[in-house]
Amino acid sequence: MAAICVFCASSRTLDQRWLDLAAATGAEIARRGHTLVSGGGCVGMMGALVDGARSAGGRTVGVIPQALVDLEVADLGSDELVVTDSMASRKILMIEKSDAFLTLPGGLGTLDELFEVWTTATLALHQKPMVLVDTDGFYGPLLDWLRQLTAETFLKPAGFNLLQLADTVPTALDVLESRLP
């Protein structure tokens, strides 16, 4: 099976529905027999995600910079916890350890990770599938802006189309699975 990296929020002040979405995502990844790769945190959606995966018997791999370990937010329950020296090296390692990427709602860190894997895909540095989960239209305004970038030729349509969109996690995982080698 595949190693699926999930990008999502780590904020401790989120509405319960986002935590529930993350927990359900982790559980669904585990039920399908995949390994969950995450940012190695134990708080917010990230914590709910790994808890959901483990509750369904899944394997978890966390990749976290030492600075966040020092803040005591590391997921010490990970089957494999890799500590990096920086956020940049964390992203590189997450890309290397993953076969596919799924992005849930999140903030700047989530967008940073999404754009890193998307940009490297447009440069043909990897051909790993990527799906953005647009629950309740969360990413609607961002997608509108990105479509405008495409219309104004700042982003090629082929580059835009590398990122698949889904409304639900099961649909997102179906799309990822259909694109895995």
Side-chain angles (χ1 to χ4, degrees):
M1 301 312 307
I4 298 178
C5 183
V6 176
F7 303 131
C8 61
S10 61
S11 171
R12 296 175 195 224
T13 61
L14 298 173
D15 188 77
Q16 186 63 43
R17 72 182 180 130
W18 301 119
L19 301 174
D20 294 344
L21 174 67
T25 301
E28 184 67 15
I29 288 169
R31 275 193 292 276
R32 292 182 184 220
H34 301 297
T35 295
L36 170 65
V37 178
S38 77
C42 65
V43 295
M45 288 176 73
M46 202 180 307
L49 175 75
V50 295
D51 289 346
R54 284 195 287 271
S55 74
R59 182 174 190 280
T60 60
V61 176
V63 184
I64 189 167
Q66 183 64 53
L68 295 181
V69 173
D70 294 344
L71 292 175
E72 298 180 356
V73 296
D75 176 28
L76 301 178
S78 287
D79 293 299
E80 179 183 350
L81 185 65
V82 181
V83 179
T84 64
D85 62 352
S86 69
M87 293 293 279
S89 59
R90 172 202 214 182
K91 289 185 290 186
I92 291 167
L93 196 55
M94 290 170 80
I95 293 170
E96 290 173 355
K97 287 190 163 289
S98 302
D99 300 309
F101 304 92
L102 187 149
T103 303
L104 295 175
L108 289 178
T110 302
L111 291 173
D112 177 50
E113 293 163 335
L114 167 64
F115 284 119
E116 179 83 17
V117 297
W118 194 2
T119 299
T120 53
T122 64
L123 297 172
L125 298 176
H126 71 82
Q127 290 82 41
K128 299 173 183 182
M130 305 167 291
V131 177
L132 179 71
V133 181
D134 189 26
T135 301
D136 297 334
F138 182 88
Y139 283 112
L142 175 65
L143 291 167
D144 290 343
W145 178 72
L146 291 166
R147 286 184 184 100
Q148 184 61 34
L149 286 181
T150 304
E152 294 189 24
T153 69
F154 285 101
L155 173 62
K156 294 178 182 173
F160 181 85
N161 293 331
L162 287 173
L163 181 66
Q164 301 298 301
L165 306 175
D167 293 333
T168 68
V169 169
T171 301
L173 290 171
D174 290 344
V175 170
L176 286 180
E177 289 171 338
S178 74
R179 288 174 163 67
L180 288 168

